[in-house]
């Protein structure tokens, strides 16, 4: 019974992660097209807050969806989703240098990586509390 519930719970996280990934990609597309809603610019530090919160939620959902999956990099066991998402984040931030509507920023990258660390920490905290 526990195995069935665990699979069902994992399916819920997978569905949530896929839905959020769609929203995340739409947000990226809007940002690259220079069509983010102007109202968000009225929020103080919206860009930094956005990087932390959007990346934290993406990491949290991705980590929960992939739960215990790991990858070995240079003899180190690392969480699969977090590793892939960090690589994606670094590459995506670098690509912004060639976009007319975006700018590459070390501070944005740091905020994104802080969001990833926060999302991973929350996902792992939740996982250990539930004994998964």
């Amino acid at each position: 019974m526990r195995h069935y519930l665990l699979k069902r719970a994992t399916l819920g996280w997978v569905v949530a992660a896929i839905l959020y990934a769609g929203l995340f990609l739409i947000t990226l597309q809007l940002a690259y097209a220079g069509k983010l809603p102007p109202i968000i610019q009225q929020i103080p530090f919206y860009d930094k807050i956005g990087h932390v919160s959007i990346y934290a939620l993406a990491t949290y959902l991705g980590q929960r969806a992939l739960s215990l999956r790991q990858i070995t990099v240079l003899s180190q066991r690392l969480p699969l989703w977090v590793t892939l998402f960090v690589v994606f984040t670094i590459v995506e931030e670098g690509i912004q240098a060639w976009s007319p509507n975006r700018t590459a920023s070390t501070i944005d990258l740091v905020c994104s990586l802080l969001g990833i660390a926060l999302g991973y920490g929350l996902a792992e905290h939740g996982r250990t509390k539930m004994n998964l």
Side-chain angles (χ1 to χ4, degrees):
M1 179 73 163
R2 177 180 153 99
H3 183 66
Y4 168 76
L5 292 175
L6 183 59
K7 279 193 175 274
R8 189 169 182 188
T10 302
L11 178 61
W13 287 116
V14 169
V15 169
I18 290 170
L19 290 173
Y20 188 75
L23 291 173
F24 185 90
L25 293 174
I26 289 168
T27 303
L28 275 180
Q29 182 182 15
L30 290 171
Y32 275 100
K35 295 185 178 182
L36 287 173
I39 194 164
I40 66 169
Q41 295 177 4
Q42 295 176 3
I43 302 168
F45 306 107
Y46 78 94
D47 187 37
K48 307 316 173 228
I49 294 168
H51 277 271
V52 173
S53 58
I54 289 169
Y55 281 77
L57 186 54
T59 303
Y60 179 82
L61 291 172
Q63 185 64 18
R64 293 303 301 258
L66 293 179
S67 56
L68 301 175
R69 291 180 180 86
Q70 294 185 339
I71 187 171
T72 302
V73 177
L74 301 173
S75 302
Q76 297 293 318
R77 305 278 301 154
L78 301 172
L80 175 63
W81 172 249
V82 174
T83 303
L84 294 175
F85 199 44
V86 164
V87 170
F88 166 82
T89 299
I90 292 168
V91 170
E92 194 275 326
E93 191 65 42
I95 289 172
Q96 290 180 27
W98 291 286
S99 172
N101 298 312
R102 312 271 329 258
T103 55
S105 165
T106 303
I107 294 173
D108 286 352
L109 178 60
V110 169
C111 288
S112 296
L113 294 175
L114 284 172
I116 291 171
L118 175 63
Y120 175 70
L122 290 172
E124 287 301 296
H125 178 72
R127 184 181 64 81
T128 56
K129 279 191 115 30
M130 292 180 12
N131 253 349
L132 299 178

